Every structure is written in structure tokens, then in C-alpha cells.
Amino acid sequence: MLNPLAPSAGGRYSIGLKPQIILAPGGPAGQRPYRPHGAGASRPPFGTGSALCAMYMWRGISTRCYRTCIMLMTYSFGDPGDLPPILIAHGLYGSARNLNVIAKRLSATRQVISVDMRNHGDSPWSARHSYPDLAGDLAEVVTGFGGVADVMGHSMGGKAAMALALLHPAAVRRLVVADIAPVTYNHTQVQFIHAMRALDLSGIATRRDADAALKADVPEDGIRAFLLQSLDVKEKRWRLNLDVLEAFMPQIIGWPDLAGRFDGPALFLSGGASDYVRADHRPAIRALFPAARFAKIPGAGHWLHADKPREFEASLGIFFGANGSSGQGQTPES
């Protein structure tokens, strides 16, 4: 099968085929129109309605994409080797850039692929944001990079990675789920959508302006800095599909009823100062991931990759075998 990956400068890829013609643009409500975005990158339309049909061209080969055109913005680091690539999926309101420093460091011995999830970053916008949808996106990326990967997902990306392992188990060799469990949480993150939407971007000239204006609604410096990574100051827009993320918030903080289980190696890595993965979650985890192991990074909160980046990177390297080890028995149990 042809590999639908067209690399550009800086290791940046656009998954899928370059749009040649767009037909029947009357897609579902909330769909973002296509426009080229950045050197060598394509942002094709994303939709779930059959009214959307696009013709894509890649190296002279044409194909038609009906119903759903899924093409995540993807970044590749390092070279292919004997082991499959590592695929990294970020959390809610994030983007690949949040984890690209760790991706680059792991790429010393492995090929590492990071993505902007749908409705985030430079990936297309969709009218849907369920975990089966996100798992399908990741499965398409894995297919483009050889059909199997070691997968790490954080928070929302962790739930998407779990859904990928359950729905497409042949695509996942080893799984790391960072600070999330396959359960429904009672908290919501919609207050940050309200804060971002309320920000008057017409008067924002610099990121410092945005930080000052957002402080009243988001007083926590770390969270505010994290959210502002998704603000395009020049274009005066958020690189987040706020309307769809708000509409799907119950699904994002929830967990779907997915059949099957993943019998491969799985590490549930959590922050020692976080309460997202509790002891009472373990029966639900082991029902779906019977080989699950558990570890904590002392002193890290929910954003453990930002709080303790070296420890987080070391845990991934050991479990995935990125440092040349088998990954067995080297990450301490919690």
C-alpha cells in the first residue's frame, strides 16, 4: 500500500493527500473551511457528512475521500529502525509542541511521531470529537508509519490511546497512558473554553497582552501559559475548535463503552501529586488492560511531562526500550 506521507522541511508531515479540488462544500455545522497552512503543510476539510467530498492528489495518484477526511498534522523525529516508531498524543487544549522536546530526545534511538489531535493545533477541525473518532485518527497515522507503534497518550490523548489499543490492538505494541484512567470524571474543563472565548482578541497585540487579559478568568500562571500556547496572536484566533470541544466535553471527560481488551504491555504512569489515577480505578483498568503496570513520578502533577520532563522521558525510554533495553521490569511499580 502506498504511504500517504509527504515530508516537508523540518520533519513536518501532512497525513493524507494534498487537496486538489473541494466539492460540495456544504459540510456539517462547525466545519472549518480548507486553507493552506504553513510551508509544506495541508489543512484539508474535516467532516462527517456525506455532503463533503474532496479529491486529493499525491504524487500523481488520485483518490476520493467520502464522509470523513482525516489528516492530522504530524511531526516526525529520528529515523526508522528495528523497533516500531513511538507515537505521542497530547491532551486537551494542547498540541504536539507541548511534547516535542521529549519527542526529540527520544528520537536519539527511535523514530518518534507526534501529532496535533483533531480540533487542536494545526490539524483540521471536525464536527465530532469522540474517543472512537480520535482512535481512528491515530490508527490512520500508525498505518502511515508501518502499521504498528509504541503509543503514549497524556490525559485526553491517553484516553484516545487506550481507545486505539482496544479498537485496533494490532496497531499497538506497547502502551503508556499518562495520568488518566478509563473512567468518567466529575470535573469539567469547560470553564477554560469560556475564558478563551471571552478574551477580546481584537485588542491583543502580543502574548503578554493576552496573558494579562486572561489572568482574571485564569489566575493560575501555569494553566494560563499552557492555554496561550494555542493562541495565534498574529491571526487573532485560537488554534482550538472551542465550540466542538465544549459540545463534546461530556464525552471528553467521560469514557465510552468499548468492547474488547488489550493484552499487550501497558504502563499507567501518573504524577505523584495528581489524583487522576486512583487505586479504585485499577479494577476498571485491569479489566481492559490485564497486563497493566502502574508507576508514579514523585512530585509531578497532572502535567507530569512538564513538571518532571527528564523523569517522564526516562520512564518512556525504559518501558518502550528506546534506550536499547527490552523495557521489561525497569519502571518501578507504584
Side-chain angles (χ1 to χ4, degrees):
M1 183 178 66
L2 290 174
N3 184 344
L5 298 173
S8 63
R12 193 177 192 181
Y13 286 75
S14 177
I15 296 296
L17 309 178
K18 183 179 179 182
Q20 185 72 11
I21 336 175
I22 306 260
L23 304 174
Q31 174 188 310
R32 185 174 200 163
Y34 163 76
R35 63 175 178 150
H37 189 90
S42 296
R43 290 192 67 167
F46 218 90
T48 56
S50 58
L52 178 66
C53 172
M55 173 73 80
Y56 296 95
M57 300 295 294
W58 178 68
R59 295 186 183 178
I61 307 296
S62 68
T63 185
R64 285 190 179 272
C65 173
Y66 295 96
R67 294 186 60 79
T68 305
C69 300
I70 298 173
M71 302 182 189
L72 297 183
M73 183 56 69
T74 302
Y75 302 82
S76 176
F77 304 91
D79 299 315
D82 295 335
L83 293 175
I86 296 172
L87 172 63
I88 294 178
H90 64 78
L92 182 64
Y93 307 140
S95 67
R97 72 176 63 185
N98 303 141
L99 289 149
N100 274 352
V101 171
I102 289 171
K104 289 176 183 177
R105 291 182 61 86
L106 289 172
S107 71
T109 54
R110 293 281 292 277
Q111 185 181 28
V112 182
I113 311 301
S114 62
V115 298
D116 288 341
M117 304 293 278
R118 66 165 65 192
N119 296 316
H120 290 72
D122 287 331
S123 280
W125 285 13
S126 168
R128 292 187 53 80
H129 201 88
S130 72
Y131 285 115
D133 294 326
L134 272 60
D137 297 347
L138 296 179
E140 187 175 70
V141 173
V142 173
T143 297
F145 283 90
V148 65
D150 288 342
V151 181
M152 189 288 296
H154 170 249
S155 197
M156 178 194 77
K159 285 189 171 181
M162 286 188 281
L164 171 68
L166 294 171
L167 297 173
H168 308 273
V172 180
R173 188 187 75 126
R174 302 176 75 88
L175 174 69
V176 173
V177 180
D179 213 59
I180 204 73
V183 299
T184 295
Y185 290 87
N186 295 323
H187 63 266
T188 181
Q189 305 292 340
V190 76
Q191 70 274 19
F192 300 121
I193 291 178
H194 297 162
M196 287 184 278
R197 190 183 284 134
L199 190 64
D200 182 6
L201 297 178
S202 65
I204 300 298
T206 66
R207 198 167 301 276
R208 180 175 294 180
D209 293 341
D211 182 70
L214 195 61
K215 189 170 186 177
D217 291 326
V218 185
E220 302 90 345
D221 292 344
I223 295 177
R224 197 168 62 251
F226 169 71
L227 296 176
L228 288 173
Q229 290 184 45
S230 291
L231 176 62
D232 186 332
V233 175
K234 183 178 180 181
E235 296 289 331
K236 297 187 183 301
R237 67 178 182 88
W238 293 97
R239 290 192 293 266
L240 298 165
N241 191 342
L242 298 179
D243 292 344
V244 168
L245 294 177
E246 181 177 22
F248 275 79
M249 190 60 66
Q251 288 93 324
I252 293 171
I253 65 174
W255 175 252
D257 183 13
L258 299 178
R261 69 181 198 177
F262 177 71
D263 293 319
L267 173 66
F268 284 75
L269 182 63
S270 56
S274 172
D275 63 355
Y276 272 70
V277 182
R278 304 194 309 262
D280 60 317
H281 292 155
R282 292 193 179 191
I285 292 170
R286 287 200 167 107
L288 299 173
F289 305 94
R293 299 168 58 199
F294 302 87
K296 290 186 177 182
I297 297 179
H302 180 58
W303 284 280
L304 61 175
H305 54 84
D307 294 340
K308 299 287 184 178
R310 292 302 180 94
E311 292 87 343
F312 183 75
E313 172 204 334
S315 297
L316 297 187
I318 291 170
F319 188 74
F320 286 151
N323 59 359
S325 73
S326 67
Q328 296 285 353
Q330 296 188 38
T331 303
E333 294 277 346
S334 63

